[in-house]
Amino acid sequence: MRVRQSSMPVACAILICSTAAGCGAVGTDAVERTNAPAAVHASPTEDVTSDGTRDPVPDRVTVTQPAHVDTNVRPADVPVWPGPDPSDFLVPNPPAGEIGRLAGAEAEDVFVAAQKNPGEFWNVGGVVLWLVVT
């Protein structure tokens, strides 16, 4: 009898679940702070938040475009994308969407702007795109 090892897909599912949303514990400060270091690489640069505390600003970020969406949002109603044109750095990410990475000053600018844009929709050259920054 031949036994196949199938622990890798389970391990991947657990990892994705734990980093994506804290495995169901969404909305608590403890979960957000716990997951934040896994999603960003902190640099000495800091950003002052609205409550006066300083949060680390990453020197690298990942940008994903999960899908093209058809919204009734006008480009003028969403913030202008602060980074380079997504078509310059996004690559296909099967089975859906695209993914890319930014570093240095571009990453810092995009990260700070994303903190102020919880909707994840951006005006990119007059077109509304869904771009998620982590």
Side-chain angles (χ1 to χ4, degrees):
M1 176 161 78
R2 187 172 178 181
V3 178
R4 295 173 58 189
Q5 293 181 350
S6 63
S7 61
M8 184 56 110
V10 173
C12 289
I14 291 169
L15 179 61
I16 291 168
C17 178
S18 65
T19 59
C23 283
V26 178
T28 65
D29 289 337
V31 169
E32 291 173 8
R33 287 191 188 112
T34 301
N35 287 340
V40 296
H41 306 281
S43 75
T45 309
E46 294 181 340
D47 181 38
V48 178
T49 61
S50 61
D51 64 358
T53 60
R54 293 190 174 268
D55 286 337
V57 175
D59 59 355
R60 291 177 296 195
V61 296
T62 299
V63 178
T64 55
Q65 183 175 11
H68 291 282
V69 293
D70 186 16
T71 68
N72 59 356
V73 177
R74 297 177 319 146
D77 295 337
V78 295
V80 173
W81 174 247
D85 189 318
S87 65
D88 291 343
F89 68 94
L90 293 179
V91 296
N93 186 32
E98 297 178 305
I99 191 168
R101 290 180 177 70
L102 297 174
E106 289 177 333
E108 292 174 8
D109 293 344
V110 167
F111 179 80
V112 170
Q115 296 303 304
K116 299 172 185 171
N117 181 17
E120 301 173 341
F121 290 108
W122 298 92
N123 176 348
V124 182
V127 176
V128 176
L129 295 180
W130 179 19
L131 299 171
V132 181
V133 178
T134 54

